[in-house]
C-alpha cells in the first residue's frame, strides 16, 4: 500500500468500504499504487492503468484504455462526452463489487496485456478541440475543478486546452494541469493576471504580477 493513498481512503467520509475493496483487488493484481489527480491511481510499470474515483452517487473504477477492452459483461461506460479512451465501472455497494470481483480482475489483467502489447487508442479527429485525456480525467474526478472549468468562457477554455495539449508527454500534460488548477478554480484565463486583465493589454503590461 502507498501510505498517501491509504490515508486518502481511510479518511473518506463516504464509500470507504467500497474503495478499500477496490484497492485490495487492484493491489492483488500486482499494480503499483500512487496518487495522481488527487485520487488513487494504479500503474503497470510506468503506465497509468486505472483510477479509483468517488462521487456523491457512486464510486468508480476507471480504465485509461477502457475502449480497448472487450467488456463482455457490459459494465463499462464512458465518463464524459470528451473522453475517447477511458471507460469506467460504477458501484454503489460492497456486495456489487464482490459479485463482480472475478470480472474486474479479468478486466484488469486484460488492461495489463493491452499495455504490454503497446496498443494505443486511435483518436478521432474533430473540427472542435479535443481535450487531452489527462484533462478529461481531471474534470471527471474533481467536481470543483469541473465546475470552475465549465464556468470559464469558451475562449479561456480553448486557451487552456491548447496549452495542455501542446505537451508531448503525459507527465508534462498532467504537470501543466496541476500547475494551472488553482488559476482555473479562481476563474482566471491562461492570459489573465491577478486583476483579471489580459497580459496582452497595455494597461497591465508591467503593472501587475502575473500568474506563472
Amino acid at each position: 500500500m502507498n501510505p498517501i493513498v491509504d490515508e486518502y481512503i481511510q479518511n473518506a467520509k463516504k464509500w470507504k468500504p467500497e474503495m478499500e475493496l477496490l484497492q485490495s483487488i487492484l493491489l492483488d493484481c500486482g499494480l503499483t499504487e500512487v496518487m495522481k489527480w488527487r485520487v488513487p491511481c494504479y500503474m503497470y510499470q510506468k503506465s497509468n492503468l486505472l483510477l479509483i474515483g468517488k462521487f456523491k452517487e457512486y464510486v468508480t473504477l476507471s480504465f485509461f484504455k477502457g475502449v480497448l477492452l472487450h467488456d463482455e459483461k457490459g459494465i463499462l461506460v464512458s465518463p464524459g462526452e470528451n473522453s475517447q479512451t477511458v471507460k469506467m465501472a460504477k458501484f454503489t455497494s460492497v456486495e456489487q463489487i464482490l459479485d463482480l470481483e472475478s470480472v474486474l480482475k479479468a478486466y484488469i489483467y486484460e488492461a495489463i496485456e493491452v499495455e504490454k502489447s503497446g496498443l494505443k487508442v486511435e483518436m478521432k479527429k474533430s473540427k472542435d478541440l479535443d481535450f487531452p485525456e489527462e484533462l478529461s480525467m481531471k474534470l471527471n474526478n474533481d467536481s470543483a475543478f469541473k465546475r470552475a472549468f465549465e464556468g470559464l468562457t469558451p475562449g479561456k477554455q480553448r486557451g487552456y486546452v491548447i496549452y495542455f495539449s501542446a505537451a508531448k508527454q503525459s507527465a508534462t500534460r498532467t504537470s501543466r494541469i496541476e500547475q494551472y488548477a488553482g488559476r482555473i478554480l479562481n476563474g482566471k484565463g491562461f492570459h489573465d493576471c491577478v486583476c483579471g486583465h489580459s497580459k496582452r493589454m497595455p494597461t497591465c503590461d508591467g503593472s501587475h504580477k502575473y500568474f506563472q
Side-chain angles (χ1 to χ4, degrees), residues 15 18 21-22 25 57-60 74-76 88-104:
W15 307 120
E18 288 78 10
L21 180 53
L22 289 174
I25 292 172
E57 296 86 5
Y58 47 77
V59 63
T60 62
I75 64 172
L76 302 180
M88 63 166 56
K90 300 179 180 180
F91 305 100
T92 56
S93 70
V94 167
E95 291 73 22
Q96 186 183 11
I97 298 172
L98 286 172
D99 287 342
L100 289 170
E101 182 173 357
S102 61
V103 174
L104 291 176

Side-chain angles (χ1 to χ4, degrees), residues 35-105:
M35 282 292 286
K36 288 190 177 183
W37 300 283
R38 296 196 293 181
V39 297
C41 176
Y42 294 82
M43 306 178 69
Y44 171 73
Q45 296 183 356
K46 295 183 179 180
S47 298
N48 299 321
L49 241 63
L50 302 108
L51 294 176
I52 293 177
K54 59 184 175 70
F55 299 85
K56 183 177 180 181
E57 296 86 5
Y58 47 77
V59 63
T60 62
L61 185 62
S62 300
F63 292 79
F64 276 84
K65 294 182 179 179
V67 295
L68 298 180
L69 303 182
H70 290 99
D71 189 21
E72 295 177 356
K73 299 298 182 181
I75 64 172
L76 302 180
V77 297
S78 176
E81 60 182 21
N82 293 308
S83 178
Q84 297 188 48
T85 66
V86 176
K87 289 284 188 176
M88 63 166 56
K90 300 179 180 180
F91 305 100
T92 56
S93 70
V94 167
E95 291 73 22
Q96 186 183 11
I97 298 172
L98 286 172
D99 287 342
L100 289 170
E101 182 173 357
S102 61
V103 174
L104 291 176
K105 285 188 174 182

Side-chain angles (χ1 to χ4, degrees), residues 77-197:
V77 297
S78 176
E81 60 182 21
N82 293 308
S83 178
Q84 297 188 48
T85 66
V86 176
K87 289 284 188 176
M88 63 166 56
K90 300 179 180 180
F91 305 100
T92 56
S93 70
V94 167
E95 291 73 22
Q96 186 183 11
I97 298 172
L98 286 172
D99 287 342
L100 289 170
E101 182 173 357
S102 61
V103 174
L104 291 176
K105 285 188 174 182
Y107 281 27
I108 293 166
Y109 289 129
E110 184 182 357
I112 292 173
E113 291 304 314
V114 165
E115 205 58 45
K116 284 182 179 179
S117 70
L119 284 175
K120 297 187 181 297
V121 178
E122 185 177 346
M123 304 297 284
K124 297 177 183 177
K125 302 229 177 193
S126 171
K127 293 182 180 179
D128 298 325
L129 284 174
D130 286 328
F131 283 31
E133 199 61 47
E134 295 79 7
L135 178 58
S136 293
M137 294 303 298
K138 179 74 172 176
L139 291 167
N140 291 321
N141 288 284
D142 189 330
S143 58
F145 180 86
K146 179 179 174 68
R147 287 194 300 271
F149 190 85
E150 292 178 345
L152 297 176
T153 64
K156 289 182 178 180
Q157 290 183 18
R158 180 182 178 84
Y160 281 119
V161 171
I162 291 174
Y163 178 65
F164 298 151
S165 300
K168 295 181 179 180
Q169 300 294 325
S170 176
T172 306
R173 292 192 292 270
T174 299
S175 176
R176 288 185 177 185
I177 292 168
E178 292 302 324
Q179 179 185 1
Y180 283 85
R183 191 154 138 185
I184 291 170
L185 288 168
N186 286 322
K188 302 295 182 183
F190 183 74
H191 295 290
D192 289 351
C193 70
V194 290
C195 67
H197 294 142

Side-chain angles (χ1 to χ4, degrees), residues 1 14 112:
M1 288 184 180
K14 191 174 184 181
I112 292 173

Side-chain angles (χ1 to χ4, degrees), residues 1 9 18-30 33 42 52 101 105:
M1 288 184 180
I9 293 176
E18 288 78 10
M19 286 194 292
E20 285 180 328
L21 180 53
L22 289 174
Q23 179 190 38
S24 175
I25 292 172
L26 290 161
L27 292 177
D28 194 41
C29 291
E33 185 178 61
Y42 294 82
I52 293 177
E101 182 173 357
K105 285 188 174 182

